[in-house]
Amino acid sequence: MRKILDKIDTLLKKEKGTIKKEHGGKIKVCLIYPNIYQVGISNLGFQTVYRLFNNRKDVVCERSFLPAKDDIEEYRKGFPLISFESKKPLYEFDILAFSLCFENDLPEIIRILEIAKIPHRRRERDFNSPLLIAGGVLCFSNPEPLAEVFDIILIGEAEELLEPFIDNYKKVKEASYEEDFKENLKREIIKFQGFYVPEAYREIYDSSGKIVGREVLWLNVPEKIKRVYCKNLSENLSFSQIITSEGVFSNKYLIEAMRGCPFSCRFCLVGKIYSPTRKASIDALKSRLSNIPSETCSVGLIAPSITAYRELVELLETPLVELSFTSLRADRATLDSIDYLSRMKTVTIAPEAGSERLRKIIKKGISEKDLLNVASRLSNTEVQNLKLYFMIGLPFEKDEDVEDIKKLIEKVRGVFFRRITASISIFVPKPFTPFQWHGMETYEAITEKLKKIKKDTLQIKGFRLFHEVPKYSYLQGYLARADRRAVEILERLSKGEKNGELWEKIKKEACQIKSLSQFLPWDFIEHEDIKKEALWDEYERAKTEAFQTDNT
C-alpha cells in the first residue's frame, strides 16, 4: 500500500489547482475517471465537474482513477481503491460520480468497482453503499450498456444538472429514513428534466432476442428523457482547474472556446449531440485569459473545429495562447490562421477519406485542392510535422477510395517537404448520426485494407503510418449501439477474458445493419435538434449520392 500512496503523492505534488476541503458536514463526492490518471486529468469536462462540485460549500469532491496495471494487483491483495485528496476508500463516500467519455473505458468501470469493494450490479448494493451516478457524452448518446450499474444517469451537460441534483439530494436526505433514501431520491429526481433512473424502465425483447421496445415500470414517469444543455457558454466557461506536467497537455491551461460543431459530417457524434453549436464570446475568453495562473506555460483553446471561431486570429494574438485541437479543417479559416499555426511543431488535418467521392458521401466538405493548398502554405512555415487523419470502412466505401489514400499522401508529400504522418482509424457507427443504422465493415475486410495501405505507403520518403488496433474499434462499435445486455460482456472483459467466442460476438454485433423501423436502445433520449426521421433522410441521401457516383 505504501507504494500506491507514494505514487499518488508524487502526482499530487506536480499539480497546481488541487482542491482540498474538510469532509465534516458536507456531501462527500468522489469523481471517477475510468482510465489511468494521465488520461483522466487531461479531460477538460472531468476537471470542470470537479470544480463545479467543489464550488458548493456543502459538497467536497475528490478524485479517483483506474490504477495502473501493476497497482491493480496491489489493490487486489486486499486494499480498497482510494481517493487522491484524502486517501479515503471509495465506499466511504456518499456519491461516486463517473465521467463517461469513451466506450472502450466501460469495462474499466466494473474493474474499478471490484477493487473498490463495491458490487457493480445495482441490485446487489444496499442502502449503505454509495449512490452511483454517471455523466458525460456517453450518457446522452447511449447509456444502456451500464443501465444495470448506475442508480442515476445525467442526460445532458453538467453545468445545468449538478445544481438541481445536489439540491434534490439534500432535500430528500433530510426527509428520509436512511433505508428509504435512495429509493425516495430516484423517485423525486426523475421528475426533473435530464435525469434518468434506469430501474424505472425495462427493455422488451422478442422471441429471437431482438430488442423491440421499452416498458415504463413506475407511475408518472416520462417515456422519454430530454437532454439538457448549457445555453450560455460565456457565463459557464469550461477551463482547466488543475495544471500538471503529467497530462497529455503538459502544463497547459485549457479553455473551451466552442461547444459543438457547425459542420454536419454524417459520421460525427459531436456535431449532432452537442447541437446547437455554442461559442464563448471574445470578451469572456479574454477575461478568462487575463486571470490565468502566472506559472502557466501556455494556453490552449479547445473546440471540435477551432478555426470556425470567428475571432480566432484576434485570440491568437494574445501572448501564451496556442491552438489545441483534434484536427483542423483544410478551409479558408485555416489559411487565414497559417501565420499562427507556424508556432506549432505539429499540425493535424483530417481529410477522413482519400477520394473526393467519399468525402462528398460523408459530407466532409473539404476538397483535395484545399488540402494541398494548406499543406503547401505550411511548408513555408516552421511546422515540422504534418499529421493526416483518415478513416477506412466508411459507408459506401470502394476499393478505389482506399487506394486514393496513398495517392493523396503522395500529393501532400509533393508540397510539404518535412515529416508527414498518417493515422488510420476505423469507422464506428454512432447514435444520433445519419450513419447510426450502418454496420461496420467485416473484420477480415478491414484487416486486408490496413495491410494494403501499409504496403502501398512503405516507399514514401519521410512518412510514417499509424493505425488503431482493429479489435478495439469493434468493441467501440458494439458498445456504441448496445442494449442493457451488454453488461454481461463488460463483466467478462473486465476479468480479462480473451476467448474467440466473446470477440466473435462483439464483431458480429458491431457489423449489424439496422432499419428505420427497428427500435434503438437510445430512442428514449430526446435531443432538441435531432429527429430520427431527419437522420434517416440524411442516410438515404448518402445512399443516393453513392449510387449516383457509382453510375457516372
Side-chain angles (χ1 to χ4, degrees), residues 342-394:
S342 64
R343 302 176 187 172
M344 306 177 67
K345 292 181 179 179
T346 299
V347 169
T348 306
I349 298 175
E352 310 295 358
S355 69
E356 296 276 9
R357 168 194 175 271
L358 196 50
R359 282 196 292 276
K360 180 181 178 183
I361 290 169
I362 66 175
K363 214 173 177 180
K364 179 63 182 178
I366 64 171
S367 69
E368 182 178 291
K369 180 181 177 182
D370 292 333
L371 175 64
L372 295 178
N373 195 7
V374 170
S376 177
R377 290 280 302 277
L378 287 172
S379 192
N380 297 320
T381 71
E382 298 302 313
V383 171
Q384 295 300 306
N385 182 32
L386 179 58
K387 192 171 183 180
L388 304 173
Y389 278 166
F390 294 97
M391 274 196 284
I392 60 173
L394 282 159

Side-chain angles (χ1 to χ4, degrees), residues 238-295:
S238 188
F239 53 88
S240 294
Q241 175 61 41
I242 293 172
I243 300 172
T244 175
S245 60
E246 290 294 313
V248 175
F249 303 101
S250 180
N251 286 325
K252 184 170 286 189
Y253 188 87
L254 304 178
I255 306 176
E256 184 183 33
M258 185 166 65
R259 189 172 299 178
C261 181
F263 306 103
S264 300
C265 301
R266 286 170 172 150
F267 60 86
C268 182
L269 178 71
V270 170
K272 294 297 182 183
I273 64 168
Y274 280 109
S275 179
T277 303
R278 289 144 288 156
K279 300 178 182 180
S281 70
I282 184 74
D283 290 339
L285 292 175
K286 284 187 171 182
S287 176
R288 172 46 47 188
L289 287 169
S290 67
N291 287 287
I292 62 173
S294 57
E295 66 275 9

Side-chain angles (χ1 to χ4, degrees), residues 431-552:
F432 297 107
T433 69
F435 290 157
Q436 65 181 354
W437 292 278
H438 202 90
M440 294 181 71
E441 194 165 0
T442 65
Y443 183 83
E444 293 73 20
I446 287 294
T447 52
E448 283 303 311
K449 288 180 179 182
L450 284 172
K451 286 179 185 176
K452 179 171 176 51
I453 294 170
K454 285 192 280 188
K455 180 182 176 182
D456 289 348
T457 58
L458 196 60
Q459 303 305 318
I460 300 176
K461 292 182 179 180
F463 172 77
R464 292 189 67 185
L465 181 74
F466 302 90
H467 65 81
E468 294 179 346
V469 178
K471 79 171 188 176
Y472 294 117
S473 298
Y474 284 86
L475 175 60
Q476 183 187 20
Y478 164 64
L479 292 173
R481 302 191 299 169
D483 58 44
R484 293 187 177 198
R485 292 169 292 185
V487 70
E488 298 168 8
I489 301 293
L490 295 176
E491 289 168 339
R492 295 168 67 181
L493 290 169
S494 73
K495 292 180 173 67
E497 190 172 327
K498 298 177 181 178
N499 72 57
E501 171 270 325
L502 173 64
W503 283 98
E504 286 305 312
K505 175 178 172 60
I506 288 169
K507 288 186 282 189
K508 181 181 177 182
E509 294 283 344
C511 292
Q512 279 193 352
I513 296 173
K514 302 181 185 295
S515 65
L516 177 60
S517 61
Q518 191 169 346
F519 181 83
L520 303 173
W522 54 92
D523 276 346
F524 73 94
I525 299 176
E526 185 178 330
H527 285 262
E528 186 175 289
D529 296 334
I530 305 176
K531 304 299 178 189
K532 191 174 183 180
E533 292 74 16
L535 292 176
W536 179 262
D537 288 345
E538 188 74 11
Y539 184 37
E540 288 292 300
R541 281 194 288 274
K543 288 183 186 177
T544 300
E545 289 165 10
F547 177 80
Q548 289 172 343
T549 58
D550 289 345
N551 290 276
T552 55

Side-chain angles (χ1 to χ4, degrees), residues 229-244:
Y229 66 94
C230 174
K231 294 179 175 59
N232 191 327
L233 211 60
S234 298
E235 294 180 1
N236 296 277
L237 275 184
S238 188
F239 53 88
S240 294
Q241 175 61 41
I242 293 172
I243 300 172
T244 175

